[in-house]
Amino acid sequence: QCNTTIFCLSVYFLLLQNNHVVRNASLYNKEFVEQFEETPLLVAVLTYVGYGILTIFGYLRDFLRHWGMEKCHVAREREEQKDFVPLYQDFENFYTRNLYMRIRDNWNRPICSVPGAKMDLLERASKDYNWTFQHTGKVVKDVINMGSYNYLGFAENTGRCADAATESTHHYGVGVGSTRYEMGNLDIHEELEQLVARFLGVESSMAFGMGFATNSMNIPALAGKGCLILSDELNHASLVLGARLSGSIIRVFKHNNMVSLEKLLRDAIVHGQPRTRRPWKKILILVEGIYSMEGSIVRLPEVIALKKRYKAFLYLDEAHSIGALGPRGGGVVDYFALDPKDVDIMMGTFTKSFGAAGGYIGGKKELIDYLRSHSHSAIYATSMSPPVSQQIITSMKIIMGEDGTTLGVVRLRQLSENTTYFRRKLREMGFIIYGNDDSPVVPMMLYMPAKIGAFGREMLKRNIGTVVVGFPATPIIESRARFCVSAAHTRDILDTALEAISEVGDILQLKYSRHQRRPHLPSSLGSWSSEESLLQEPSHIKPSVM
């Protein structure tokens, strides 16, 4: 009996080490395991050593710049301003000029086509070690796009969405030139908000022209002094900014950790506000559906259970999950088969799955009516552009099946299959992959600073565009490449990308996983022919995708 107990504990701690184990399994309608394999000790040590070497050489180069032996291109105070309050933070400046500049060529690459499954890039070169760039005049054609948030493949310039947006432009024009409160409230805006409410399964909704402002300008309208905001430590900058602007007390809980969240809730109820010990006017929990850097999915059933138990309010940001999760594309609420009424404020953006711009907030009618008169984003911001509104309406109707076709269901199914396939193949190759198996955001760990730039450059040499991320966007030893899977990716495209990733992974020695690997055979990766794509429509329907 003692041996059995020891064995069970060993298995539990092994799972705890590499995965997020669910405590309240009865709340879930499906298995929920998120993998976060621990960083190998040697890799962690070498990563710190790498940053140490970069720092030493950074100080050496700063010494040379100080004495005029090397030119410094970074912005800095003039000599006569040396006694003023500094405009630039010393460490931020040091990091920018000595570490970031070495790999700056991996970002801000200009795209000169639709950012679909494949794209065209303007070629650029630098003669001063990435301080400045010049366009060569050449265009790199048909680069496989593994970085855009084009989850359902609606980033396209042909088909129903493009035709509807063009027609809307002819009818309304491109810009509105006014706020909703003045002369900028169009019938197409009313139609959009009614459709969003129906899609979410809530009483009412409100659309905004900018996704970032949807969070940063609306949270201050929902919470203020005397309120408590409990925020996940990995929440997006827009949520963090909105919380800070609100003037509320902010407390941060560990990422997706329900023990940490419950402790904060319990302490808030027991102790109340600082100094006065009065009860909090409001407790607001801020979480995201899919966390874009981790690829993890919020434990929404547990969050809702805690929110009900402690009488708190829940603000759910579904920027990456709406349209990308759930059998109907309804986000994490649909994914877990929960009641939308259990989420007090449902927020999301149209910038990803819908191929448009802006954001929304949905909930009870009283909530939306309140925001219409109290949200700065609603009162002062110019109305959403009509063709953008029409793009959202058309794509949302396709997802809901209201266009009379099954194309929406097909896209949702293909995204799910592509996500599962891509994640499984990367793990079989020996890469460390973070997040949930159902998340189309796929972080692949690089760790060492030198490999951030090397991976991005080597992939572009193979005509594949990727996003690489490092400190300060991630912890210092957790640099990564972040892939975004799309329904527009065919199996051949994914196989080509996987073969290149495996090849570069061998060159840069990125296959860190200690799990058993399976042989990677590129020729046997796909089960579809090169001409097959689930996005192809039935023959009796006018083609609208590719």
Side-chain angles (χ1 to χ4, degrees):
Q1 185 177 0
C2 181
N3 291 334
T4 304
T5 304
I6 293 174
F7 174 76
C8 291
L9 286 173
S10 301
V11 171
Y12 174 79
F13 285 114
L14 182 61
L15 286 171
L16 193 62
Q17 183 180 19
N18 292 330
N19 306 306
H20 279 187
V21 180
V22 175
R23 295 186 306 135
N24 300 315
S26 60
L27 297 174
Y28 293 81
N29 61 346
K30 59 171 69 178
E31 186 180 8
F32 185 83
V33 177
E34 296 190 332
Q35 300 192 27
F36 296 91
E37 187 175 338
E38 187 178 4
T39 306
L41 180 60
L42 177 60
V43 174
V45 171
L46 292 176
T47 302
Y48 281 119
V49 170
Y51 275 107
I53 293 172
L54 284 172
T55 302
I56 291 171
F57 274 91
Y59 280 114
L60 175 61
R61 299 189 73 173
D62 277 356
F63 175 80
L64 296 177
R65 292 177 187 128
H66 177 73
W67 292 102
M69 288 181 264
E70 181 177 332
K71 187 176 181 180
C72 183
H73 301 269
V74 76
R76 55 184 177 178
E77 292 89 351
R78 289 177 296 182
E79 186 64 25
E80 56 267 30
Q81 293 177 309
K82 63 180 181 179
D83 294 327
F84 290 12
V85 176
L87 293 174
Y88 307 101
Q89 295 294 327
D90 185 58
F91 177 75
E92 291 178 4
N93 238 353
F94 177 86
Y95 183 86
T96 299
R97 63 180 176 263
N98 294 307
L99 282 80
Y100 170 70
M101 282 298 169
R102 292 174 176 267
I103 54 176
R104 184 170 172 241
D105 57 302
N106 287 278
W107 293 280
N108 303 318
R109 290 169 177 156
I111 298 172
C112 54
S113 70
V114 174
K118 292 185 177 182
M119 59 188 177
D120 298 338
L121 297 180
L122 282 178
E123 188 180 72
R124 57 182 186 167
S126 177
K127 298 178 181 179
D128 52 9
Y129 303 102
N130 293 342
W131 288 101
T132 60
F133 294 96
Q134 298 80 36
H135 299 305
T136 64
K138 297 180 181 179
V139 175
V140 184
K141 294 282 188 179
D142 295 327
V143 177
I144 293 177
N145 183 1
M146 295 302 301
S148 294
Y149 303 135
N150 183 28
Y151 297 130
L152 292 180
F154 284 115
E156 51 196 1
N157 56 5
T158 59
R160 288 188 184 85
C161 291
D163 293 342
T166 302
E167 184 179 346
S168 175
T169 303
H170 289 307
H171 183 72
Y172 295 100
V174 175
V176 179
S178 180
T179 67
R180 295 282 295 274
Y181 266 81
E182 297 169 319
M183 301 297 292
N185 190 32
L186 306 180
D187 57 344
I188 196 172
H189 297 142
E190 302 278 351
E191 180 186 356
L192 170 61
E193 290 175 345
Q194 292 171 9
L195 181 64
V196 170
R198 195 164 72 250
F199 180 62
L200 298 176
V202 296
E203 293 180 9
S204 183
S205 75
M206 188 174 182
F208 304 87
M210 181 181 179
F212 191 97
T214 305
N215 278 332
S216 59
M217 293 290 101
N218 283 293
I219 293 175
L222 297 170
K225 292 183 178 180
C227 297
L228 173 65
I229 291 179
L230 303 180
S231 178
D232 189 291
E233 66 179 344
L234 296 184
N235 274 342
H236 189 262
S238 59
L239 290 169
V240 175
L241 178 60
R244 289 175 177 173
L245 291 175
S246 71
S248 304
I249 299 294
I250 305 170
R251 290 175 184 162
V252 179
F253 61 92
K254 295 179 181 178
H255 174 56
N256 240 355
N257 189 315
M258 297 303 107
V259 175
S260 176
L261 175 58
E262 185 170 13
K263 183 180 185 302
L264 291 178
L265 284 167
R266 188 185 299 114
D267 290 345
I269 298 299
V270 172
H271 300 295
Q273 298 185 41
R275 294 190 301 274
T276 65
R277 302 301 182 185
R278 293 176 180 173
W280 295 99
K281 294 179 180 178
K282 190 185 301 177
I283 300 177
L284 183 64
I285 303 172
L286 302 183
V287 294
E288 295 186 48
I290 292 178
Y291 290 85
S292 60
M293 282 296 171
E294 302 299 310
S296 56
I297 297 175
V298 65
R299 298 184 180 188
L300 192 58
E302 293 182 76
V303 176
I304 289 177
L306 289 176
K307 161 248 184 204
K308 288 181 176 180
R309 183 183 306 166
Y310 293 96
K311 303 296 186 292
F313 294 94
L314 176 59
Y315 187 109
L316 173 63
D317 179 346
E318 293 219 69
H320 287 269
S321 54
I322 193 68
L325 286 180
R328 298 183 304 102
V332 287
V333 175
D334 183 30
Y335 177 76
F336 289 114
L338 301 171
D339 188 348
K341 296 178 181 178
D342 288 335
V343 180
D344 302 288
I345 304 103
M346 299 185 69
M347 177 271 171
T349 62
F350 303 119
T351 56
K352 300 166 181 69
S353 294
F354 304 96
Y360 67 82
I361 284 185
K364 292 183 178 179
K365 187 176 183 303
E366 293 84 356
L367 168 71
I368 304 304
D369 290 343
Y370 175 82
L371 288 177
R372 290 189 193 280
S373 58
H374 288 79
S375 168
H376 287 179
S377 185
I379 298 172
Y380 300 110
T382 304
S383 302
M384 182 182 289
S385 174
V388 172
S389 302
Q390 187 60 58
Q391 163 76 19
I392 301 165
I393 291 172
T394 308
S395 60
M396 190 172 289
K397 285 184 176 180
I398 291 174
I399 296 171
M400 298 170 70
E402 294 186 3
D403 64 329
T405 72
T406 60
L407 185 58
V409 175
V410 170
R411 288 182 186 240
L412 291 168
R413 185 172 71 248
Q414 181 158 352
L415 174 61
S416 177
E417 292 178 357
N418 285 353
T419 297
T420 302
Y421 178 80
F422 190 74
R423 281 181 166 273
R424 176 169 55 86
K425 288 298 179 182
L426 287 178
R427 285 202 180 97
E428 289 176 358
M429 293 176 195
F431 295 105
I432 293 181
I433 304 300
Y434 275 8
N436 194 291
D437 284 346
D438 293 325
S439 169
V441 178
V442 187
M444 189 186 85
M445 305 311 293
L446 303 176
Y447 296 116
M448 300 181 193
K451 295 184 179 182
I452 302 173
F455 183 82
R457 297 183 193 113
E458 289 297 322
M459 291 299 290
L460 189 58
K461 287 179 183 178
R462 292 157 177 78
N463 237 36
I464 297 172
T466 58
V467 173
V468 288
V469 191
F471 180 82
T474 67
I476 196 165
I477 66 165
E478 293 187 8
S479 301
R480 65 197 67 181
R482 185 185 62 180
F483 305 108
C484 291
V485 182
S486 170
H489 290 140
T490 62
R491 190 59 62 92
D492 279 349
I493 289 176
L494 292 180
D495 287 347
T496 302
L498 286 165
E499 186 173 354
I501 294 168
S502 180
E503 182 181 344
V504 175
D506 288 332
I507 295 173
L508 300 180
Q509 298 182 356
L510 299 174
K511 298 179 179 180
Y512 302 114
S513 179
R514 289 164 290 186
H515 295 167
Q516 185 175 4
R517 303 180 192 175
R518 298 181 184 180
H520 173 50
L521 303 174
S523 60
S524 64
L525 280 174
S527 59
W528 300 348
S529 69
S530 59
E531 299 297 324
E532 275 187 306
S533 172
L534 287 175
L535 292 182
Q536 293 177 348
E537 297 190 13
S539 57
H540 66 280
I541 298 175
K542 181 181 177 182
S544 66
V545 182
M546 32 187 80

